Amino acid sequence: MPDVTVLTVKLYGEPIGTLTHLGDERSIFAFNDAYVGNADRATLGLSFKDQYGELRNDFKPIKMKLMPFFSNLLPEGHLRSYLADKAGVNEKREFFLIQALGRDLPGAVTVEAADPDTWPVSDDVDDQVMTDSENAHDNALRFSLAGVQLKFSAVIDAAGGLTIPASGIGGGWIVKLPSREYRGVPENEFSMMTLAQMVGINVPPIDLVDIGGIKNLPDGIDQLGDKAFIIERFDRREDGTSVHIEDFAQVYGVYAEDKYKKASNRNIAAVIAAESDHADIAEFIRRLTFNTLIGNGDMHLKNWSLIYPDQRNAKLSPAYDFVSTIPYLPNDQSALNFSRTRRFDEFTEDELLHLASKAALPRKLVIDTARETISLFMDRWWAEKAHLPMSTDVVDTIDKHLMTLPIIGEALT
């Protein structure tokens, strides 16, 4: 591996700072003078603002890991291990891992070696993982399927089919293949996201596609299921430019392994109320209520994100990763506390009023939005559940789950 000590961090293609390797596995981030001195600078993340809204630039060295904002840009699990191996990097050495993967990170951040002559480690990864070689695709996909669900970037080709980008850079869609452990996850997610759209939630373009229509997949994928779920990347525009995003693990400075800890839905609501407007507060309550109704126990900090459409001001991003988890984990509960509890059957109007009080949300807006969402959901659920592609087990599990939620009776009486 090339001997790299300084990485340039760019936002929308403009250098804003550096990640520096200090030796002894320590690294530190610092903004450059031009970014600090620019009163109209684009926002990198809320965690870089102090309590007065001023830019922080007093970061301490961190050993092995990067600071949470940058650490959360890296993949997790088996895909992380695989890409680190291809790059010849210990997966725990995040400074070198982000060097290898830094050209196609979430949002509008890119990271590259300050000395361009040291960049080929990333090219090595692209050559080995995302080439046109059938074997390279085969190996990458077979390894990643050890995880719950594989995600990769894809682009729509001229014929309307799906192609994994040869370079691995800048795909416009996320394609999620079937799970080895849980049956019917793509169908489940497509059904939940479709229902979410029906009740007024901001959902990106989605589809459920035949596995056979995706090119360069290894033999045997169809044995796991016939369908893949696809969702358009909302951090990429049609012209290929990036829109900046950050998830709430980044907002709260939490590492990915603690995404179920350190903060609550009440905390997320407070940030949205402080940074955005009533429309986003209503959208947050709508999503929180919807995911309770479907029994989604996986709405952790990385499944809520902010987006910066004007490069400076935060808005709640479009929705993603809505899956009913209770068919797979029968005793599942909310990934994060609502306000005082994470039990689905304790998500009541009183709990929402407690959340509203603690997060400084308009109480009437919160209750009216929850009631409207429940009414719309129940209408759509009874009308559509037999027509959506989820299994009968998912339908039956949600039906039973709905009978345990007292907030439905509160909203409909």
Side-chain angles (χ1 to χ4, degrees):
M1 164 176 295
D3 184 16
V4 178
T5 58
V6 181
L7 301 175
T8 299
V9 177
K10 295 183 177 181
L11 184 61
Y12 305 102
E14 295 295 324
I16 64 165
T18 55
L19 284 163
T20 302
H21 192 262
L22 302 174
D24 192 30
E25 299 299 343
R26 295 176 305 134
S27 64
I28 191 168
F29 171 71
F31 288 112
N32 62 31
D33 291 342
Y35 184 78
V36 173
N38 181 5
D40 296 321
R41 58 181 169 263
T43 301
L44 178 61
L46 296 186
S47 63
F48 295 101
K49 296 181 180 181
D50 65 19
Q51 60 181 323
Y52 305 107
E54 299 298 322
L55 186 69
R56 294 178 52 225
N57 200 18
D58 55 347
F59 311 112
K60 297 179 180 179
I62 298 176
K63 193 164 186 176
M64 295 296 286
K65 288 182 175 292
L66 298 171
M67 62 189 301
F69 179 89
F70 294 102
S71 180
N72 276 291
L73 296 174
L74 296 169
E76 300 177 69
H78 295 284
L79 183 58
R80 178 188 178 114
S81 301
Y82 180 70
L83 293 175
D85 180 66
K86 289 297 184 183
V89 181
N90 184 320
E91 65 179 280
K92 295 181 180 180
R93 303 180 74 195
E94 293 189 344
F95 178 90
F96 298 102
L97 188 58
I98 204 167
Q99 182 217 346
L101 306 179
R103 291 188 293 174
D104 189 22
L105 301 170
V109 174
T110 53
V111 177
E112 60 187 55
D115 179 357
D117 291 338
T118 62
W119 187 252
V121 63
S122 180
D123 293 337
D124 292 344
V125 174
D126 290 340
D127 289 343
Q128 294 179 70
V129 179
M130 291 291 190
T131 67
D132 288 327
S133 161
E134 182 175 351
N135 287 336
H137 282 300
D138 183 85
N139 292 336
L141 291 169
R142 283 189 186 281
F143 182 92
S144 297
L145 282 171
V148 171
Q149 197 172 33
L150 173 70
K151 301 179 184 179
F152 54 86
S153 293
V155 294
I156 301 293
D157 67 16
L162 286 169
T163 304
I164 305 167
S167 67
I169 295 173
W173 293 77
I174 296 294
V175 181
K176 300 171 72 172
L177 296 175
S179 164
R180 186 177 297 278
E181 185 175 357
Y182 302 121
R183 303 295 295 182
V185 174
E187 292 87 347
N188 181 329
E189 185 164 3
F190 176 79
S191 299
M192 297 307 110
M193 294 293 281
T194 300
L195 283 167
Q197 195 170 43
M198 289 177 177
V199 303
I201 290 171
N202 180 13
V203 172
I206 59 172
D207 204 354
L208 193 65
V209 299
D210 291 334
I211 290 289
I214 304 176
K215 299 176 182 178
N216 299 317
L217 289 180
D219 294 336
I221 287 291
D222 57 350
Q223 296 176 10
L224 300 178
D226 300 326
K227 301 291 185 180
F229 173 76
I230 66 171
I231 181 167
E232 190 171 48
R233 286 185 65 169
F234 49 78
D235 63 339
R236 298 291 184 265
R237 298 188 179 93
E238 290 184 7
D239 62 3
T241 58
S242 298
V243 183
H244 192 45
I245 59 172
E246 64 173 328
D247 64 44
F248 271 84
Q250 292 172 295
V251 171
Y252 279 105
V254 173
Y255 286 109
E257 58 264 31
D258 293 323
K259 62 191 177 185
Y260 295 96
K261 308 173 186 177
K262 309 292 186 181
S264 67
N265 285 299
R266 185 176 82 196
N267 299 138
I268 294 172
V271 171
I272 294 169
E275 297 292 331
S276 190
D277 53 25
H278 281 193
D280 270 0
I281 293 172
E283 177 73 357
F284 171 80
I285 296 299
R286 195 173 293 117
R287 295 184 198 180
L288 192 64
T289 304
F290 178 85
N291 279 287
T292 299
L293 295 172
I294 67 170
N296 180 3
D298 205 40
M299 288 299 291
H300 49 69
L301 288 174
K302 293 187 71 64
N303 279 343
W304 293 96
S305 288
L306 298 172
I307 190 166
Y308 293 86
D310 65 356
Q311 300 191 6
R312 298 191 66 184
N313 297 296
K315 299 283 293 179
L316 186 61
S317 82
Y320 59 99
D321 282 3
F322 287 6
V323 177
S324 176
T325 61
I326 52 176
Y328 315 117
L329 303 169
N331 297 315
D332 211 3
Q333 55 187 350
S334 174
L336 305 173
N337 273 9
F338 299 115
S339 188
R340 298 164 295 187
T341 181
R342 63 180 59 194
R343 289 178 57 98
F344 289 132
D345 59 1
E346 292 178 354
F347 182 81
T348 62
E349 290 192 358
D350 182 66
E351 179 70 3
L352 279 173
L353 287 171
H354 189 274
L355 183 154
S357 176
K358 295 296 183 179
L361 310 184
R363 293 161 60 94
K364 186 176 188 301
L365 175 65
V366 167
I367 295 302
D368 287 352
T369 302
R371 289 176 177 175
E372 178 188 49
T373 303
I374 290 166
S375 178
L376 288 170
F377 175 86
M378 297 304 291
D379 285 346
R380 292 296 85 207
W381 175 250
W382 293 112
E384 303 294 338
K385 65 180 182 179
H387 308 294
L388 292 168
M390 57 191 159
S391 69
T392 55
D393 180 56
V394 172
V395 173
D396 292 344
T397 302
I398 293 178
D399 276 339
K400 293 175 182 176
H401 170 69
L402 292 171
M403 296 176 64
T404 70
L405 302 180
I407 196 170
I408 294 177
E410 294 174 339
L412 300 182
T413 55

